[in-house]
Amino acid sequence: MSIDPRNIETQLKHPSYPLHIFHTVTSTNQVVWDLLAEGNPFPVMAIAAQQTAGRGQWGRNWVSAVGGLYLSIGLNLQITAQNAPHLTLFSAWGIAENLRNYGLPVKLKWPNDLILQGRKLGGIKSETRIKQEIITNCVIGIGINWCNQVPDPGITIQSYSKTHYIDSLETLAAITINGVFRGYHYYLSNGIDNLLRNYIEILDSVGRKVIIEGMTGTIVGVSTQGELRVSLQAPGSKTTLKLPPGTLSLGYGQGEGIT
Ligand code: BTN
């Protein structure tokens, strides 16, 4: 499967941003870091038809067969290191909103999953370079299942049988790129509190029960540091826990608990 860059560029809201297209790479995130090291100007965008060492969250491998979208965007921004989770939050929200505008009822699973019909449609892996507690550069990597073979509990857009308006991998790429910039500009203009209000509206797990150290809690939202807010209720007391990304695994229907 070859990817036609012109078909993506004509659909971009900011068409002057250069797009680097590859057939096979290790990881598009690594490719963007390399392009930045060579002096390419921001933003840098790379897409590959397949990856041999795709990077997933928590050190996992991202299976990247031909037919999926493998995209990374390098941005230079100045935010404090403790706000690193904002990168995933604004990207996930912007991409999900754009996919929803094209008829796919995508929801979010905290912190970085795009879900469709309760199954994993895609994920985001952001990486940062930090100098003196400030993030100076970041790479936002996105994998979305178009027609590739997916491991369970995955879903592809092409297997979704209801009406939508995404007709090619190139259109999906353009929607996704526009989505990252939509989220980024919304975050810069309106701040994290407003972004989170929107993010939580399409967060699948709000109201869900979780068991934490033997106690039942209810997911109530996400904090400005990207932590999952869980309300614990015991007779006579109510506490809200804030769980950093990576400490709680919200499964796909198999139950959940502290990882
Ligand atoms: C996850 O684990 O849910 C996040 C997966 C992110 C995968 C994408 S594919 C394009 C980009 N390049 C990588 O190596 N990883 C990200």
Side-chain angles (χ1 to χ4, degrees), residues 106 157 211 233:
V106 170
I157 293 179
I211 309 286
Q233 253 177 316

Side-chain angles (χ1 to χ4, degrees), residues 51-62:
Q51 302 182 115
T52 54
R55 300 174 188 161
Q57 281 289 340
W58 331 124
R60 292 185 195 131
N61 181 44
W62 184 257

Side-chain angles (χ1 to χ4, degrees), residues 29-92:
N29 276 19
Q30 186 55 50
V31 166
V32 167
W33 286 122
D34 293 345
L35 289 166
L36 289 172
E38 287 164 18
N40 283 277
F42 289 99
V44 173
M45 302 196 280
I47 294 180
Q50 62 181 351
Q51 302 182 115
T52 54
R55 300 174 188 161
Q57 281 289 340
W58 331 124
R60 292 185 195 131
N61 181 44
W62 184 257
V63 178
S64 307
V66 169
L69 175 67
Y70 311 109
L71 159 73
S72 297
I73 304 179
L75 299 172
N76 64 331
L77 42 120
Q78 303 271 317
I79 61 172
T80 61
Q82 61 173 5
N83 289 340
H86 295 185
L87 305 170
T88 299
L89 296 175
F90 73 64
S91 303

Side-chain angles (χ1 to χ4, degrees), residues 107 113-122 145 150-156 252:
K107 297 197 117 192
D113 285 5
L114 300 164
I115 61 174
L116 181 63
Q117 295 187 313
R119 294 178 158 265
K120 182 152 175 163
L121 177 69
N145 301 323
V150 290
D152 217 33
I155 185 171
T156 64
Y252 283 86

